[in-house]
Amino acid sequence: MNLSKQIIHKQVEEISAIYYSNINDIGKKLSYGYTILAASSLLDISLEESYDTMTDGKNDLKIDALHFTEPSEGQFNISLFQTKYSQNFDKDGGFKENDIIGIISTLRNLFGNISQFDMQINLETKLNEIHSYLSTGNMPTVTIYLVNNGKRWEENGEKQIESFLSETPMNKELFEFVYINHDDILSFSKKEQNVNCMLNFNGKFIDEELNFKRALIGTVPVKNIADIMEQHHSSILKQNVREFLGNKGINQNIKNTLEDQDSRKNFYFLNNGITIVCSNVGYAPSTTQSSTIIKLTNAQIINGGQTSKTIQNVLNDESNKDEDFSQTSVLVRIYKVDEQNHEDDELIDKITLATNSQNAVKLADLRANDEIQKKIEFGLSKYNINYIRKRDFKRAKKGDVRKEIIAQVILAAILQKPNEAKYKKALHFGILYNEIFDEKNITIPLLILLSKLFVMLETKRKTIDSDTLKKYPFISYATDYILMIIYSNIKDQDIEKMILDIDGIFNKEYIPALNILKEKLEELNIDINDSLSLISTLKSDKLNGEN
């Protein structure tokens, strides 16, 4: 019996028990849990966020989960999941040709008129938001994850994929099919492994002691980088704050440079290079001036993940197997730091932030050790609430509060900017951070009240009955706006008493808040049944408060 299947199954059982305790169909329940685990692992998001990607069910158009990022520099990522989960661990069935045909049929209609389809409400909501990005000129990259706990698709399925991708040049640019199984998901859960590796510095290099820290800078063959990436995959990128965005934008330029015989010789000069931190570094004196083997302990790429991943993809592409990359090198900076030293730990964060500042980053990770985050953690702990200020691999429990939610509710309710709370999340821990986490605006009881109301609103959004949704179709998109309105109506009341009577407050304020938002939209002559017009308005500041 496959050991990794058993390990993953235990995790799937736990997740499905948390999120789908009301479902009696064991097969369906486990499949849902497996999709949540897969999306969480692959997208590096919390289980709670992964649960919100779920679109599986009746009229899901073969999409079991859907996730998309906010646009950055005119581009955004879409991740689609199609999942098959077998309780028979001795069975290794793969995706059938008809499974592939079904998801391809969905892709053909993904950017067309979706109103012609009767679809699951969460899927419709997400597709409408995606279309709102498309309508403003943003270009998507679509990754289709085919996930099971068996084998890959067979030859006929591969032919269907190749035929679809070859239909137009744009298809190859837009879509990528990725197979994932239990072994892959288990490997993602091993990101905490230490990475020890060897780098080959060509020619002379710099080795400096600065403020009791060590820095090495040298030239490394791209083949060396490709080999390290093949061996360690995501393990060497666990501290890297950027996601690999596929062959678009800057990554496409990297790819083009590597694949051009003339340009690749100048790759060293055309690329910003790779930054690595490690706990120890050493090398033996070289007998020649041509190369030196550098040994790294606990190595992590904190900048240049995009470059490293693109190098790996290009050099391991079958079509490039006869290409000569022996004269192609990249600049590598190595910083030896003590990860057990608090000051060095903060230095790693600062280096990561500084070297990634020109691109969209997961800045929330870099703010985890800020003093205000520690104060919020301490304050919430007095109320027996666990504040997740730093990501780890523990399962979040019911009642835990993520710092991303705290940022969102402060911006929506206290600062009365629900559009920025919902549609500018990438900025919450960037340029909006100091405005959001201004101590004079927040108290611990207020954060508890707002986070509880937010969770209740999100639960309502996900479980709303069809009649209420027909009357208030904006519910699918307007949690942050409804929270702002409710808070505006209750902010002068005793916060501690409201926390104790949170259900009563919610039931009293929910429908009136919906009516207020509906009236505001009508005053702006917005057709609330026109999803694109509605979303466009919600993205603007027209419905913000006066703060």
Side-chain angles (χ1 to χ4, degrees):
M1 187 178 292
N2 188 294
L3 181 59
S4 62
K5 284 188 178 182
Q6 297 177 61
I7 295 172
I8 291 298
H9 184 70
K10 292 295 183 183
Q11 297 181 39
V12 169
E13 284 185 320
E14 180 185 350
I15 293 169
S16 59
I18 293 172
Y19 291 99
Y20 297 103
S21 59
N22 60 328
I23 294 181
N24 295 322
D25 186 327
I26 299 299
K28 181 181 291 186
K29 188 173 181 176
L30 292 174
S31 180
Y32 288 173
Y34 191 48
T35 303
I36 290 176
L37 177 61
S40 175
S41 301
L42 292 166
L43 302 176
D44 197 16
I45 58 179
S46 69
L47 290 176
E48 180 184 344
E49 293 171 291
S50 183
Y51 172 65
D52 196 44
T53 70
M54 293 294 291
T55 56
D56 198 356
K58 185 179 180 182
N59 301 324
D60 64 12
L61 303 186
K62 304 294 183 182
I63 301 175
D64 294 333
L66 173 61
H67 179 270
F68 55 92
T69 63
E70 295 175 30
S72 175
E73 298 181 355
Q75 300 174 10
F76 67 107
N77 295 348
I78 302 172
S79 299
L80 307 180
F81 289 81
Q82 171 64 231
T83 307
K84 304 289 182 185
Y85 189 77
S86 173
Q87 299 177 67
N88 184 352
F89 295 163
D90 296 321
K91 186 179 179 181
D92 272 326
F95 283 94
K96 305 297 184 184
E97 182 179 9
N98 284 341
D99 296 325
I100 306 295
I101 292 172
I103 193 67
I104 287 175
S105 176
T106 295
L107 296 176
R108 295 186 194 281
N109 295 287
L110 191 63
F111 305 128
N113 180 15
I114 62 173
S115 62
Q116 62 183 305
F117 299 102
D118 182 16
M119 68 179 74
Q120 196 253 19
I121 183 60
N122 201 29
L123 175 60
E124 181 180 6
T125 299
K126 292 180 181 298
L127 288 178
N128 281 330
E129 291 191 279
I130 287 172
H131 279 229
S132 75
Y133 289 146
L134 297 174
S135 68
T136 52
N138 294 289
M139 288 297 295
T141 298
V142 185
T143 304
I144 303 94
Y145 292 103
L146 295 166
V147 185
N148 67 13
N149 60 339
K151 293 182 178 178
R152 198 173 185 268
W153 53 82
E154 297 179 355
E155 184 178 355
N156 287 341
E158 184 67 29
K159 288 180 178 178
Q160 290 290 342
I161 291 173
E162 289 178 356
S163 175
F164 171 68
L165 295 178
S166 300
E167 282 180 8
T168 68
M170 184 58 71
N171 279 9
K172 284 190 175 181
E173 286 294 308
L174 286 178
F175 302 105
E176 179 183 12
F177 289 79
V178 177
Y179 170 67
I180 298 292
N181 71 2
H182 49 284
D183 291 320
D184 299 309
I185 294 175
L186 188 60
S187 73
F188 277 103
S189 69
K190 295 179 180 179
K191 286 183 181 179
E192 291 293 342
Q193 289 179 328
N194 292 332
V195 175
N196 302 323
C197 59
M198 302 283 194
L199 281 178
N200 185 11
F201 272 180
N202 282 346
K204 296 180 179 180
F205 61 92
I206 297 172
D207 183 357
E208 293 279 5
E209 290 281 351
L210 300 168
N211 297 322
F212 304 103
K213 298 173 180 64
R214 194 170 172 189
L216 284 77
I217 303 174
T219 303
V220 176
V222 293
K223 178 66 166 61
N224 191 182
I225 299 298
D227 290 343
I228 289 173
M229 291 297 297
E230 277 294 294
Q231 181 180 358
H232 297 288
H233 298 288
S234 58
S235 295
I236 200 169
L237 295 170
K238 73 181 182 185
Q239 287 184 345
N240 188 268
V241 294
R242 293 169 58 197
E243 298 175 4
F244 181 68
L245 303 176
N247 294 322
K248 298 292 183 292
I250 186 66
N251 302 315
Q252 183 65 51
N253 293 336
I254 296 171
K255 180 176 184 291
N256 292 343
T257 302
L258 287 169
E259 292 184 336
D260 184 271
Q261 291 183 5
D262 294 325
S263 297
R264 76 172 65 130
K265 296 175 183 178
N266 294 316
F267 187 75
Y268 178 92
F269 303 101
L270 300 174
N271 187 272
N272 287 331
I274 299 167
T275 303
I276 301 175
V277 295
C278 63
S279 61
N280 201 7
V281 60
Y283 58 89
S286 178
T287 57
T288 71
Q289 292 294 315
S290 60
S291 66
T292 304
I293 302 297
I294 311 294
K295 181 179 179 181
L296 306 179
T297 303
N298 297 335
Q300 282 295 303
I301 295 173
I302 62 170
N303 179 255
Q306 306 274 358
T307 294
S308 303
K309 189 67 178 176
T310 304
I311 288 172
Q312 177 192 8
N313 289 347
V314 170
L315 269 66
N316 288 286
D317 190 326
E318 187 67 21
S319 64
N320 294 324
K321 65 179 180 179
D322 296 325
E323 293 291 328
D324 180 12
F325 293 96
S326 62
Q327 302 302 310
T328 309
S329 300
V330 63
L331 173 70
V332 174
R333 308 172 191 86
I334 301 170
Y335 300 136
K336 176 185 176 294
V337 292
D338 182 1
E339 291 183 308
Q340 303 305 314
N341 183 307
H342 177 67
E343 290 184 359
D344 279 9
D345 188 47
E346 289 188 349
L347 176 63
I348 293 174
D349 286 350
K350 290 177 180 178
I351 293 171
T352 308
L353 177 58
T355 54
N356 283 281
S357 60
Q358 294 180 353
N359 298 280
V361 297
K362 287 186 176 179
L363 290 171
D365 291 339
L366 305 181
R367 301 292 192 179
N369 290 324
D370 284 2
E371 197 60 35
I372 182 63
Q373 299 302 324
K374 294 176 182 177
K375 286 183 179 180
I376 293 173
E377 179 182 42
F378 178 73
L380 290 175
S381 69
K382 291 185 174 181
Y383 291 82
N384 296 317
I385 296 174
N386 181 37
Y387 183 55
I388 305 177
R389 64 178 174 86
K390 198 165 190 176
R391 287 190 299 167
D392 56 30
F393 293 88
K394 297 176 182 177
R395 296 276 185 258
K397 298 177 182 177
K398 187 175 181 180
D400 288 354
V401 178
R402 293 183 292 114
K403 65 182 179 297
E404 292 83 1
I405 296 301
I406 291 297
Q408 193 168 345
V409 300
I410 292 173
L411 195 53
I414 300 174
L415 300 179
Q416 299 185 30
K417 297 179 180 180
N419 64 321
E420 294 184 0
K422 178 172 177 59
Y423 292 107
K424 295 185 179 180
K425 293 178 183 178
L427 303 180
H428 290 183
F429 290 84
I431 63 175
L432 298 177
Y433 181 78
N434 290 329
E435 180 185 5
I436 293 172
F437 289 99
D438 185 340
E439 290 190 64
K440 72 175 185 290
N441 292 329
I442 56 180
T443 65
I444 295 302
L446 179 55
L447 296 184
I448 294 172
L449 176 68
L450 294 176
S451 60
K452 286 181 177 293
L453 287 172
F454 182 85
V455 170
M456 296 173 80
L457 286 169
E458 280 290 273
T459 301
K460 198 77 170 178
R461 175 181 68 82
K462 296 169 186 175
T463 59
I464 198 71
D465 63 274
S466 58
D467 289 338
T468 304
L469 187 60
K470 187 175 181 180
K471 185 176 181 180
Y472 308 104
F474 51 78
I475 287 175
S476 298
Y477 314 98
T479 293
D480 300 86
Y481 295 83
I482 301 167
L483 178 65
M484 178 187 72
I485 294 169
I486 290 177
Y487 176 64
S488 295
N489 291 338
I490 65 174
K491 63 182 180 181
D492 294 328
Q493 299 180 40
D494 188 302
I495 294 176
E496 298 277 4
K497 288 183 179 179
M498 286 192 287
I499 292 174
L500 294 175
D501 186 29
I502 191 71
D503 290 331
I505 292 294
F506 183 83
N507 292 332
K508 178 183 177 183
E509 299 292 340
Y510 181 64
I511 295 299
L514 295 183
N515 287 325
I516 290 172
L517 183 53
K518 186 176 182 180
E519 289 173 5
K520 289 185 175 182
L521 288 166
E522 289 173 349
E523 288 173 3
L524 294 171
N525 294 318
I526 304 300
D527 181 356
I528 59 176
N529 293 300
D530 182 347
S531 297
L532 288 182
S533 177
L534 176 59
I535 294 171
S536 177
T537 303
L538 294 175
K539 285 181 178 179
S540 73
D541 60 4
K542 296 177 181 177
L543 295 168
N544 285 2
E546 296 179 356
N547 280 5

